[in-house]
Amino acid sequence: MVDVALQQMEAMLRALMSTDNAVRNQAEEALAQARQAPDSLFSALIAMLRSNQDEQVRSLAAVLLRKEIIRLLAQSADAQGVTVSTQVKALLKSELLACIEQEPQRSIRKKASDVVGQLAINIMSNDPSGWPELFPWMLEGTRSTNVPLHEAALAIFNTLSEFIAEKMAAHHGMLLDVFRSSLQAQQELSVRNAALRALASFLMALSEPSQRVPFQELVPLMLQTISDALARGMEDECREALEVFVEVAESQTKFLKRHLAECVTGMIAIASNTSLDDSLRHLALEFLLTIAEGAPTLARKMPRFCADTVPVALAMMLELECDTAQELQEWEDEDEDEESEEEVQLPKSASKRPALAPAAGGAAKRAKPAAVGAKPAAAAPAPSVAKGKAGVPNGTPAKATPAKKGAAATPASGKGGAAAATPSGPNTWAAAEDAKLKKALSKFGPETPSRWKKVAEEVGSRSEDQCKKRNKALAKE
């Protein structure tokens, strides 16, 4: 009977991966029906994760385990109760940790780590001591020479960052030791980046600035991770580390205060190095512009901040993707023709200036040119960005009727973007917006990739930075 159930589960998982819509719809209906017997569903999914020979099947089993555990959390929040038996929870605990220790594929270990984190939240939200074996196991993993185990333990710390920040204040010193040892130069870069992600999540979860102060000693180790990744030519690892720095700069600028000069020097060096991949340089510039916007007083105290940052930003804006002189000439001729057809006359001082305005509307989005941004709506329209890198204008400026004197300017809105128009204003949130934010935070946990981008898109009327700040404000109320 058990074999039949496992065969049915494997068939359903394979059907869920089908490219045939009809087959996939039938599998989704079968999954919905299987939810009526959660013990059987979880037992079959963990069996698939632990024993199936197909990597795709194991991977999907891990994804579904996480989703179903999140579903249980939502049911618990709605007072419908958790319907998984104690015996099946015990099975999940032991088998998931064994999976992390024995699974050969890194991507599946990562998914299993996410499942462990969600299961721990499910259990410990009601009973903080409900999984006493977990934290000793995690600590042992961070002290191990087993790189996959160390990385997985840090991934679980990342998922549990909010719980640890709120419920385990007495153990923050222990966590500092974990991060310090995990960021040492002898550790693999995959481990160091996992520590960076967990540290960033933990810092954002802390409610009091004083709680972050002891962790400021880690900033030089964080910077060294970027330096070592560049020295080894490991651009993906460098990109991950830079993304963490941008995230910290956006939400916890003062955390970097003691070592801000070193951070700025390093980022300028990366942004100005034309031999590096553009995405790395854009992230470095995004960090600099985020500091200028979020901590202008600190930036002004560094004598060379503007003198070093502005030339790098301008040079990046003027980098063109034209392969030949003829292409460049064609592009310039096209731009001149379009300018002559404009219905709105731009002031001479603005007619040929590319817009450099992340500081006016929030730092540029990752994976997009770092110097792209929107000018304030009341100003004359700036040339749109298409052809060149990092803010090089191409195409006809948007045609618009000049605003009447005294008329209110309407900010341009974008999906999850900065400066979205809202009836409640930038500093006052409507009750409906708060409700959307809370729902989005529940939907996208701390371990969710690009979490704040997805939260902002879900809210619809706020930027990533505004959502982060509002979340911190709600936490203090």
Side-chain angles (χ1 to χ4, degrees), residues 45 54 122 129 158 187 243 260 342 365 403 407 429 475:
L45 285 173
D54 189 327
N122 180 292
S129 60
N158 184 23
Q187 301 286 1
E243 287 174 350
L260 191 57
E342 292 178 12
K365 302 298 179 187
W429 283 58

Side-chain angles (χ1 to χ4, degrees), residues 65-313:
L65 276 169
R66 180 178 175 276
K67 287 185 176 181
E68 295 307 313
I69 290 171
I70 291 175
R71 184 183 297 274
L72 289 180
L73 273 173
Q75 289 178 351
S76 178
D78 293 338
Q80 296 179 17
V82 178
T83 55
V84 176
S85 67
T86 302
Q87 293 80 2
V88 170
K89 280 189 177 181
L91 174 69
L92 289 172
K93 291 178 187 177
S94 60
E95 288 298 299
L96 283 169
L97 295 183
C99 174
I100 292 173
E101 293 173 349
Q102 300 169 15
E103 170 59 51
Q105 294 300 319
R106 183 174 183 247
S107 62
I108 299 177
R109 284 197 306 272
K110 175 63 173 64
K111 290 182 175 67
S113 300
D114 291 340
V115 178
V116 168
Q118 289 298 332
L119 181 62
I121 292 172
N122 180 292
I123 294 170
M124 295 189 294
S125 293
N126 299 317
D127 180 8
S129 60
W131 196 346
E133 308 88 359
L134 179 60
F135 281 104
W137 182 91
M138 292 163 61
L139 288 174
E140 186 63 27
T142 62
R143 296 164 183 161
S144 170
T145 56
N146 184 326
V147 172
L149 188 60
H150 194 162
E151 187 180 356
L154 289 167
I156 299 171
F157 272 116
N158 184 23
T159 304
L160 294 176
S161 57
E162 290 186 10
F163 178 86
I164 296 172
E166 296 174 4
K167 307 292 187 183
M168 300 181 65
H171 299 283
H172 288 181
M174 170 271 295
L175 193 57
L176 174 59
D177 292 336
V178 167
F179 289 140
R180 186 189 296 116
S181 64
S182 299
L183 287 168
Q184 295 299 318
Q186 66 268 24
Q187 301 286 1
E188 293 290 331
L189 281 170
S190 61
V191 167
R192 294 160 75 180
N193 273 338
L196 284 178
R197 290 191 294 272
L199 174 58
S201 296
F202 177 72
L203 292 173
M204 287 187 286
L206 292 172
S207 58
E208 297 297 329
S210 60
Q211 295 176 306
R212 301 184 191 97
V213 172
F215 294 84
Q216 289 178 329
E217 68 167 78
L218 301 176
V219 176
L221 292 174
M222 297 167 66
L223 283 170
Q224 190 61 43
T225 301
I226 296 176
S227 176
D228 290 350
L230 285 174
R232 300 175 194 178
M234 302 175 72
E235 291 192 341
D236 288 342
E237 287 73 10
C238 181
R239 186 176 299 105
E240 289 183 32
L242 284 169
E243 287 174 350
V244 170
F245 263 89
V246 172
E247 191 171 4
V248 172
E250 288 176 345
S251 61
Q252 305 298 335
T253 310
K254 290 183 179 179
F255 173 76
L256 302 171
K257 181 177 179 180
R258 291 183 184 176
H259 305 280
L260 191 57
E262 298 98 303
C263 294
V264 167
T265 300
M267 296 300 174
I268 289 174
I270 294 171
S272 60
N273 188 343
T274 56
S275 67
L276 295 176
D277 184 80
D278 282 352
S279 64
L280 302 182
R281 299 174 61 213
H282 293 155
L283 283 168
L285 183 57
E286 184 178 350
F287 175 90
L288 295 169
L289 297 175
T290 299
I291 295 298
E293 178 187 20
T297 302
L298 293 178
R300 283 195 296 268
K301 289 181 179 179
M302 289 181 280
R304 297 287 307 170
F305 183 84
C306 288
D308 291 338
T309 302
V310 172
V312 172

